Structure formats: C-alpha cells, structure tokens
C-alpha cells in the first residue's frame, strides 16, 4: 500500500500549477491538481491571453484610420464590442479545453474543488473528503486588490473587464501599472473617455524613465487623461447609475471604475498555518531558491510567492520544481534579465537594467538612443515616435539593458533579450548587419 494517495497534490491549475503537474506526471509521479474555478488560471482565463486579444481588437481603430492613407476606402465601418467580447471568451473556452486535455493526457487527475491544506501531507476537498500527498504544491496565484476606501466595491477589476455588457462612455482606471496602462489603451481605442488616477507621481515605476515618459506623452496625445498624486478617498453611486470618484481632492464623474492597483498573493483561507507554512507581510508564501516553503513537504510557485508576477516565470518555477523533486534533474530559476512588456498603445518592452539602475550599480554607463518615427507612421501621417534605448557598461562594453517603446516592441525585444542575457557587447550589435527596412535595425545602428 502506498503511504500517500498521491506523490504530488497541486492546488491551483494556472500557469505554474499546470506546468508542475504535467512535468511531475511525465517524470512518473502520481499527480492530482485541484482547481476551484477554471483550468488555465489568470493568464489564460482573465489575464494575458484575453487581454492581448482585446489589444489586437483595439488597434484596428487606428489601423482603419491609417488604411486611408494607404489607399483603402473603408465605408460604414463600425465596432461591435459584444462580437469581440464573445469571440474572445469563446477562444478562452477553447484554450481551457486544451489545458484540461494536456493535464489528462499526462495522467494528471483534475479535481474541480476548492482544496485546503490540513497538514504537511494532507488536503481537504470539502464534504469531509481528505486526501494525502507526499508533496503539496501551492500555485494559487494572486488576486486583484482594491484600495481601502468607502465605496470601493462599486468598482470592477480586470477580472470583470472582459465581461462588460458594453464599452463604458467614461472610465476611470485606478493605478498606474501594467493593467492600468494596458486597459487605458484598449478602452481609449474603443472610444471611451479614459482617465487614469494614480496615487503616485509616475506611471510604471520600475521601467526606464525616458520610455515611460514617452508612453505618457503618447497616451495624452491620444486623449487619455492622467491624474497623479490622487489616492482614492471615496466612490459614490449616483441616481442615474454613474459614479463619482473622489481622489486626491478632485471629483471625477464616470460610468465605470476599474481598479488596477496591484495583485496580492492568494493565500487567505488556504489552511497554510496548519502545516507551518510562513507568509511574508504581503501574505506571500516564503520560499527558498527551490520554491520550498517553511514546511519541507510543501512548495509554492508563481504569483502566490510574489517573486516576479509574470506567467513565464511561474512556468519556469513549476518546471524547475517538478524536475528537481520528481525528475532527479535539479536546477534553479535564474531571475536575471527577465524581459517584460506592457501591451499599451503603443507597447513598451524592456530587459536588464534601466539607465538609473545601471548608474547605481555600475557607476559609469553609456547610453544610446534612437528616437524615430516608424515608416508606417510616417506614411499614415501619424506623429507618434518610437524610442529605443540601450544601456551599456562603459568599462566592459557589455549591453546591460535594452528598453523600447513603439510598434511591435515586445516582438523585437524578445530576441534582443537573448543578446542581453548572453552578455553580448555593444560591439557585437555594431558588427551585425542591419535588416533593412525594419524598425529592429535601429538596435544595430545606435551611435
Ligand atoms: P502594478 O504593480 O503594475 O501597478 C499597481 C499600481 O497601483 C501602481 O501604480 C501602484 O502605485 C498602484 N497601487 C498599488 N496599491 C495601491 C493602493 N492601495 N491604492 C492606490 N494605488 C495603489 O499592478 P497591476 O495591477 O497593474 O498588475 C499586477 C501585476 O500583474 C503586475 O505587477 C504584473 O506583474 C502583472 N501583469 C503583467 C502584465 C504583462 O506582463 N504585460 C500585464 C498585466 C499584469 P505605486 O506605483 O505608487 O506603487
């Protein structure tokens, strides 16, 4: 008789949990994964994937205008939100099915229930059912947080934004990070009056200053309004269904309020204290470099650990955990040079150190910038300019950061990130022949 019901019991079938389950099963482990909502997690069901589809949908607004300059006569063109929304939600359903298939085809048992830890090796599935496992993996992700203010419940979060019955005429977005800027771009393109209200003085803290300033300037040109230093005071519902938002001493009338004020680790009510799993002051599970918690048999990966809240990082952590614990192939995730992007309009992307970080760490740095108008924008008569920036260690000539804003910036940056990760020098970029005409060629022509 086996000592435990399972070798591995995973709580949460999002990016990290699905990868860990599938790989552990491929290594021969008997695995079950519990999911209380839908298989796929934030990224697939209510995050990266549907968001990117909305970004594509939104961009047609400008493409259709620009098309006229390229000779296309488009009459009677109208946008229908419910068509896009329903198509996106249907595709999410398709992807959810694929994720389910991936798990079951690897022999992973999928349990549609809320699981709660009841001890170092035991999990309750409700209705008195308890199962045991040699190892438990917590991969429950993170959940949107709302600022504490009167009427905060009147706002929605990105979870609900994908299901709106219609595009609001006016929307206030609280926060100045990824989700705020991405949804500001989306709703602005769909014709809503968008106001971003942020508690601080900058958007996208952590990104290179010049690049985020360019996004701010372009966003304002597109008609997005920004209110800074505006912590939320209260939200009031009016008789006609509209909302009055009080923030930073100002009042804003709106039809929809979207909170994009960060995401907190999803640990509440998981019973972690019964197994001695310690949390940090943000509620994140404390883990070591192998994703092991303070309980030897319980591990955690992804947003619930609040290391880097990005899907590809959670996937790597899940893979490293499964290979290390079940595959006899120990390895650790390298958190250095993780590329990231904001799918704003236009998108921005970055890898490595910003100029400010490099100056702090290295002392002397050289920076190179290219500030240009993409050829397509020139013919379209669109003033919007791209900005690429390279940060170089002045002592070694090594490229330590690349930051960009402009059409397709994330697509270009993914490849440039290989060079930065590999520690290539500015000379290596100079030695590479330009691919002409392209926007990416700017990276090898920086002077
Ligand atoms: P971010 O951390 O990017 O931004 C949060 C914003 O909300 C900041 O401007 C922050 O201000 C502000 N804020 C935080 N707490 C409060 C509060 N209590 N009251 C008022 N304002 C507050 O979070 P998001 O919600 O935009 O996204 C969550 C995470 O999801 C991101 O960190 C990212 O890792 C991930 N994500 C990644 C995407 C991508 O890769 N493209 C897309 C979407 C999300 P301040 O700057 O002052 O702290």
């Amino acid at each position: 008789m086996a000592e435990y019901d399972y070798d591995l019991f995973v709580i949460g079938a999002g990016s990290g949990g699905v990868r860990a389950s599938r790989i552990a099963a491929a290594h021969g482990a008997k695995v079950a994964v519990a999911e209380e909502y839908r298989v796929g997690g934030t990224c697939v069901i209510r995050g990266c994937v549907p968001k990117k589809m909305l970004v594509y949908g939104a961009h047609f607004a400008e493409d259709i205008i620009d098309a006229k300059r390229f000779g296309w006569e488009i009459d009677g063109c109208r946008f229908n939100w419910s068509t896009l929304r329903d198509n996106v939600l249907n595709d999410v359903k398709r992807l959810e099915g694929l994720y389910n298939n991936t798990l079951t085809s690897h022999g992973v048992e999928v349990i549609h229930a809320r699981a709660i830890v009841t001890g170092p090796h035991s999990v309750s599935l409700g209705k008195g059912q308890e199962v045991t496992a040699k190892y438990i993996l917590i991969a429950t992700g993170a959940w949107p947080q709302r600022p504490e203010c009167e009427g905060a419940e009147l706002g929605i979060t990105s979870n609900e934004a994908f299901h709106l019955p219609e595009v609001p005429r006016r929307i206030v977005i609280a926060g100045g990070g990824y989700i705020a800027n991405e949804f500001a771009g989306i709703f602005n393109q769909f014709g809503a009056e968008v106001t971003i209200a942020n508690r601080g003085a900058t958007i996208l803290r952590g990104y290179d200053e010049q690049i985020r300033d360019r996004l701010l300037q372009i966003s304002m040109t597109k008609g997005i309004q920004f209110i800074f230093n505006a912590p939320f005071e209260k939200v009031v519902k009016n008789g006609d269904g509209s909302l009055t938002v009080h923030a930073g001493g100002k009042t804003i009338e709106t039809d929809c309020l979207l909170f994009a004020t960060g995401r907190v680790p999803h640990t509440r009510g998981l019973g972690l204290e019964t197994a001695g799993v310690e949390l940090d002051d943000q509620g994140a599970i404390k883990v070591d470099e192998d994703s092991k918690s303070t309980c030897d048999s319980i591990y955690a990966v992804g947003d619930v650990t609040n290391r880097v809240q990005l899907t590809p990082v959670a996937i790597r952590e899940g893979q490293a955990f499964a290979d290390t614990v079940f595959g006899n192939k120990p390895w650790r995730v390298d958190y250095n040079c993780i590329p990231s992007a904001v799918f704003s309009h236009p998108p921005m992307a970055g890898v490595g150190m910003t100029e400010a970080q490099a100056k702090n760490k290295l002392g002397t740095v050289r920076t190179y910038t290219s500030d240009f108008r993409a050829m397509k924008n020139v013919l379209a008569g669109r003033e919007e300019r791209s900005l690429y920036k390279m940060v170089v260690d002045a002592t070694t000539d090594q490229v330590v950061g690349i930051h960009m804003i402009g059409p397709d910036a994330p697509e270009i940056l993914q490849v440039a990130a290989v060079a930065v990760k590999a520690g290539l020098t500015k000379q290596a970029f100079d030695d590479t022949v330009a691919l002409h005409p392209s926007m990416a060629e700017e990276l090898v022509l920086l002077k």
Side-chain angles (χ1 to χ4, degrees):
M1 269 263 302
E3 195 182 345
Y4 300 106
D5 299 325
Y6 300 98
D7 298 313
L8 172 65
F9 195 95
V10 179
I11 305 182
S15 301
V18 167
R19 175 60 66 96
S21 303
R22 160 165 95 70
I23 300 300
H27 287 314
K30 185 178 180 202
V31 183
V33 57
E35 172 56 57
E36 64 178 331
Y37 185 50
R38 293 171 66 182
V39 170
T42 298
C43 175
V44 175
I45 306 295
R46 51 184 177 267
C48 327
V49 171
K51 178 274 310 287
K52 184 78 186 277
M53 292 185 212
L54 293 188
V55 169
Y56 280 131
H59 207 271
F60 280 102
E62 290 185 355
D63 289 340
I64 287 163
I65 294 168
D66 294 352
K68 290 188 187 141
R69 293 274 304 175
F70 289 84
W72 293 90
E73 288 162 21
I74 304 166
D75 300 319
C77 206
R78 279 188 302 121
F79 172 64
N80 186 325
W81 161 251
S82 50
T83 303
L84 175 63
R85 180 199 59 202
D86 295 348
N87 287 344
V88 168
L89 295 178
N90 282 335
D91 209 53
V92 166
K93 209 179 284 170
R94 181 185 66 84
L95 289 168
E96 184 187 0
L98 291 180
Y99 269 69
N100 258 308
N101 288 347
T102 303
L103 288 170
T104 47
S105 67
H106 280 81
V108 176
E109 186 183 339
V110 181
I111 300 170
H112 293 280
R114 176 166 173 77
I116 292 171
V117 174
T118 50
H121 297 282
S122 58
V123 168
S124 149
L125 299 171
K127 294 183 191 153
Q129 194 193 351
E130 190 164 81
V131 293
T132 59
K134 186 169 184 196
Y135 293 101
I136 297 169
L137 178 71
I138 313 293
T140 46
W143 199 249
Q145 70 165 351
R146 295 161 193 251
E148 279 177 22
C149 76
E150 190 188 322
E153 72 286 352
L154 296 168
I156 61 167
T157 68
S158 53
N159 289 353
E160 293 79 42
F162 299 103
H163 301 271
L164 287 174
E166 59 200 14
V167 174
R169 187 170 70 78
R170 301 165 298 181
I171 181 166
V172 170
I173 304 180
Y178 283 83
I179 296 178
N181 284 283
E182 293 182 339
F183 275 101
I186 290 167
F187 286 118
N188 168 257
Q189 298 286 321
F190 290 153
E193 253 177 54
V194 180
T195 305
I196 286 189
N198 192 25
R199 69 171 174 189
T202 51
I203 56 166
L204 290 162
R205 205 154 41 86
Y207 269 87
D208 192 89
E209 210 176 316
Q210 259 180 297
I211 303 294
R212 60 183 202 220
D213 278 356
R214 178 62 55 93
L215 176 64
L216 180 62
Q217 178 226 317
I218 294 175
S219 299
M220 285 165 68
T221 307
K222 289 185 194 296
I224 298 172
Q225 298 182 51
F226 288 82
I227 300 177
F228 289 111
N229 302 312
F232 271 58
E233 288 138 13
K234 65 172 174 179
V235 186
V236 178
K237 188 159 190 165
N238 305 314
D240 62 356
S242 67
L243 303 174
T244 303
V245 174
H246 298 255
K250 293 193 169 68
T251 54
I252 321 161
E253 301 297 321
T254 189
D255 302 302
C256 181
L257 168 63
L258 168 62
F259 285 112
T261 43
R263 298 172 58 86
V264 286
H266 207 182
T267 47
R268 210 184 291 166
L270 270 183
L272 295 168
E273 63 288 348
T274 61
V277 174
E278 284 177 23
L279 308 181
D280 69 13
D281 52 9
Q282 308 280 315
I285 297 178
K286 288 188 196 171
V287 286
D288 67 11
E289 284 177 295
D290 292 313
S291 294
K292 190 202 283 187
S293 77
T294 46
C295 169
D296 278 348
S297 55
I298 301 188
Y299 287 68
V301 295
D303 289 0
V304 77
T305 65
N306 210 11
R307 284 175 281 191
V308 181
Q309 288 189 338
L310 293 174
T311 296
V313 175
I315 291 173
R316 272 190 184 232
E317 289 169 354
Q319 176 91 38
F321 157 76
D323 285 344
T324 302
V325 177
F326 296 99
N328 202 20
K329 286 189 257 175
W331 64 279
R332 286 174 174 166
V333 176
D334 175 359
Y335 293 91
N336 193 28
C337 284
I338 296 171
S340 65
V342 184
F343 293 94
S344 42
H345 279 78
M348 49 190 268
V351 65
M353 287 185 258
T354 64
E355 183 178 353
Q357 288 165 343
K359 276 184 178 155
N360 262 339
K361 187 162 181 207
L362 306 171
T364 48
V365 298
R366 294 196 309 266
T367 58
Y368 300 85
T369 52
S370 174
D371 188 337
F372 64 99
R373 203 144 66 111
M375 187 193 272
K376 190 170 168 230
N377 281 348
V378 176
L379 194 64
R382 196 171 278 285
E383 289 305 322
E384 197 173 299
R385 296 182 73 82
S386 302
L387 181 63
Y388 290 6
K389 180 169 182 178
M390 184 180 277
V391 184
V392 178
D393 182 338
T395 316
T396 61
D397 195 43
Q398 187 182 334
V399 178
V400 294
I402 295 181
H403 311 278
M404 32 204 307
I405 178 166
D408 297 330
E411 304 293 339
I412 298 165
L413 187 100
Q414 174 68 83
V415 185
V418 178
V420 178
K421 178 81 182 151
L424 297 191
T425 57
K426 168 75 167 63
Q427 188 61 49
F429 279 77
D430 294 346
D431 291 343
T432 305
V433 175
L435 195 160
H436 185 72
S438 68
M439 294 178 285
E441 69 179 315
E442 295 297 324
L443 286 177
V444 298
L445 298 172
L446 291 167
K447 291 282 178 292

